[in-house]
Amino acid sequence: MLGKGLLKGMGITFKHTFEKKDLVVQYPEQMPRLQERYRGSLGFRFEKCIACGMCTRTCPNRVLSMETAQVEGSKKKKLLSYTIDLQYCMFCNLCIEACPANALYFSHDFELSKYNRSDIAVVYHRPPEMDGEGGDK
Ligand code: SF4
Ligand code: SF4
């Protein structure tokens, strides 16, 4: 019958129109309920990073950069600072997949707007306690 598909579609729409669902929230008074795997701001765990550089090589948009130094008397490198320039991030997950140390993650923070462009980049500096006894990582 002509229009059968249309009627069926309208029936489904009609049925869902009166369903009670929390689809609309009064943001910012009310915060949305986010899915567990929601990709908000990219987070970084400094103490987990082994300064391997896999993430910076993997990122297609050059969002990530790091400053490293050679550990005295060793071939190892230590991380001095880590920068995430979030304005170019497309939340593709490639860096997280590439990281062997689980140092990167997506947080649920979605309020990422800044007044100045220069404030968008997040810089993590080496915590002084990491250079204590046996802390050269
Ligand atoms: S999520 Fe994608 S674009 Fe964003 S920093 Fe990671 S690799 Fe780069
Ligand atoms: S891939 Fe992970 S461990 Fe390696 S430099 Fe990046 S954040 Fe650090």
Side-chain angles (χ1 to χ4, degrees):
M1 187 181 99
L2 192 67
K4 195 178 164 194
L6 180 69
L7 284 174
K8 197 177 167 190
M10 282 176 73
I12 293 170
T13 307
F14 189 75
K15 198 176 117 197
H16 287 288
T17 304
F18 298 102
E19 262 180 21
K20 209 164 165 51
K21 275 189 184 168
D22 296 333
L23 291 178
V24 178
V25 291
Q26 301 301 317
Y27 176 82
E29 286 79 24
Q30 240 183 321
M31 291 304 258
R33 235 181 302 135
L34 301 172
Q35 296 300 312
E36 199 188 321
R37 293 196 296 172
Y38 177 83
R39 294 180 185 181
S41 178
L42 195 59
F44 179 66
R45 302 180 186 98
F46 205 106
E47 66 297 344
K48 288 205 165 194
C49 179
I50 54 172
C52 66
M54 289 294 285
C55 53
T56 55
R57 286 196 289 275
T58 305
C59 178
N61 282 6
R62 301 190 183 171
V63 173
L64 310 167
S65 58
M66 53 198 263
E67 227 187 312
T68 59
Q70 202 76 35
V71 176
E72 246 177 79
S74 158
K75 281 185 183 168
K76 276 171 63 178
K77 278 192 288 182
K78 69 175 179 180
L79 186 65
L80 300 179
S81 70
Y82 192 86
T83 305
I84 302 176
D85 197 355
L86 215 55
Q87 64 184 310
Y88 302 116
C89 181
M90 54 183 179
F91 307 94
C92 66
N93 202 42
L94 287 175
C95 55
I96 295 177
E97 279 175 26
C99 178
N102 202 19
L104 290 162
Y105 63 95
F106 282 120
S107 74
H108 276 187
D109 180 15
F110 61 87
E111 294 172 310
L112 305 177
S113 56
K114 299 280 184 232
Y115 193 75
N116 294 309
R117 187 175 270 258
S118 57
D119 296 334
I120 298 173
V122 186
V123 186
Y124 295 84
H125 294 285
R126 187 175 183 80
E129 56 271 21
M130 283 182 78
D131 290 319
E133 223 170 283
D136 261 353
K137 200 174 132 190

